[in-house]
Amino acid sequence: MFFESPMMNKPIQTIQTIETTQANILKHHGGDGSVARQRITEHYERRHDADFWAFWDAKVAPNHQLGDTIIDLGAGIGQFVKDCAVRYTDAQVMGIEVAPYMLQQPLALPNNAQIVVDDLNDPQADIPPNSVSMVMANMLVHELTQPMKMFQAVRRWLKVGGRLCVIDVVRQPLQDYLQRRYPNTEMWQDTTSRSDLEDAFEHFLEHNRYHPEDIVFMLESGGFKLISREPLRNGGQTRIVVEKV
């Protein structure tokens, strides 16, 4: 005979702390914060070339006004924060970061810029409502245990007409993912270690959490208006811009 426990069918309450998020991010970055920091820093210029800034000016910046705040979510060492502070000297630019290894040696920032520590799984940063014109979330959404609390906070912070840009990896076939990681069929070779293969398959799951339509659905269901959506890197990434209405 089966006896139902009084605890069955009841949600299990877990306590998420900023330390939990920091541990999860470090694991996602392969357990070595210094390597992750170096990799992200080195890739910055390639990801923010002239074409990117032309896109930013056309799709994200049109409703920016004197005195508005700009926010970079998952700011790393502050490269995008610094660029925005230089480009928009009239704005207050804020970066939000949680990983300690990103903040050990942050960039020197202009006077109109700062980086604060906050857990984007449930942001608590003191940002006035309706004060922000532009928000960037670059390679961030797939790292969160859930993005809804962040999206809610962004909607609260943005002014009407303010825009959020999401750039992220999205769902793709296993074949495409593994052939990029192992272009010469190394995954079949005995010299490829178990730990490397486990890392590859774990990252496949993390990087395949969402289809672009999933991200659009979450944002539109919260009242955002879709401005643009386009594939990047042969469909392995997406670039989405939405507006608060």
Side-chain angles (χ1 to χ4, degrees):
M1 182 179 294
F2 176 77
F3 295 95
E4 183 175 79
S5 165
M7 291 301 293
M8 293 184 70
N9 300 321
K10 293 184 179 181
I12 298 174
Q13 299 296 321
T14 59
I15 299 175
Q16 297 292 330
T17 66
I18 195 168
E19 290 79 14
T20 302
T21 295
Q22 289 170 334
N24 289 340
I25 291 294
L26 180 60
K27 181 180 178 182
H28 176 76
H29 285 160
D32 191 328
S34 61
V35 171
R37 174 192 168 96
Q38 181 179 359
R39 183 183 303 119
I40 290 170
T41 301
E42 290 175 348
H43 290 173
Y44 178 82
E45 294 296 334
R46 175 176 59 82
R47 292 176 174 174
H48 298 82
D49 57 11
D51 288 341
F52 167 82
W53 287 110
F55 151 80
W56 182 266
D57 291 340
K59 299 295 186 180
V60 187
N63 297 327
H64 175 76
Q65 294 177 314
L66 182 70
D68 287 343
T69 297
I70 302 167
I71 298 178
D72 182 24
L73 302 173
I77 68 170
Q79 290 164 292
F80 189 70
V81 172
K82 182 177 181 179
D83 275 355
C84 284
V86 171
R87 283 174 170 265
Y88 302 96
T89 56
D90 59 286
Q92 291 297 313
V93 184
M94 176 183 290
I96 299 178
E97 179 57 60
V98 73
Y101 45 88
M102 293 295 181
L103 302 172
Q104 288 176 349
Q105 294 178 317
L107 291 180
L109 298 175
N111 291 334
N112 62 326
Q114 63 174 319
I115 296 179
V116 301
V117 178
D118 197 8
D119 184 352
L120 290 169
N121 285 298
D122 190 11
Q124 302 297 316
D126 186 15
I127 300 170
N130 308 305
S131 64
V132 176
S133 62
M134 298 181 282
V135 178
M136 168 63 93
N138 195 343
M139 297 297 158
L140 171 67
V141 171
H142 75 278
E143 294 185 348
L144 303 177
T145 53
Q146 50 75 30
M148 297 309 301
K149 290 297 184 182
M150 183 185 74
F151 289 154
Q152 291 170 10
V154 169
R155 179 164 172 77
R156 185 169 62 250
W157 299 333
L158 283 172
K159 67 178 188 177
V160 173
R163 295 186 177 184
L164 163 66
C165 175
V166 174
I167 302 174
D168 221 303
V169 290
V170 288
R171 196 172 301 148
Q172 59 189 298
L174 179 66
Q175 176 181 347
D176 294 349
Y177 187 86
L178 289 181
Q179 284 183 341
R180 276 199 296 271
R181 177 148 179 166
Y182 302 113
N184 299 311
T185 67
E186 295 95 332
M187 63 182 176
W188 284 101
Q189 297 175 9
D190 291 338
T191 53
T192 302
S193 68
R194 169 182 171 177
S195 62
D196 187 78
L197 288 167
E198 289 178 347
D199 180 75
F201 277 81
E202 184 172 351
H203 275 81
F204 171 74
L205 294 176
E206 293 176 351
H207 292 165
N208 280 264
R209 284 180 175 167
Y210 304 114
H211 187 277
E213 291 181 1
D214 298 332
I215 299 174
V216 171
F217 161 72
M218 288 187 283
L219 293 167
E220 287 188 327
S221 66
F224 285 101
K225 179 178 73 173
L226 181 65
I227 300 299
S228 68
R229 184 183 82 183
E230 56 187 308
L232 301 175
R233 298 193 67 185
N234 297 317
Q237 298 178 11
T238 190
R239 186 161 67 186
I240 296 168
V241 177
V242 294
E243 179 177 297
K244 178 177 176 178
V245 295

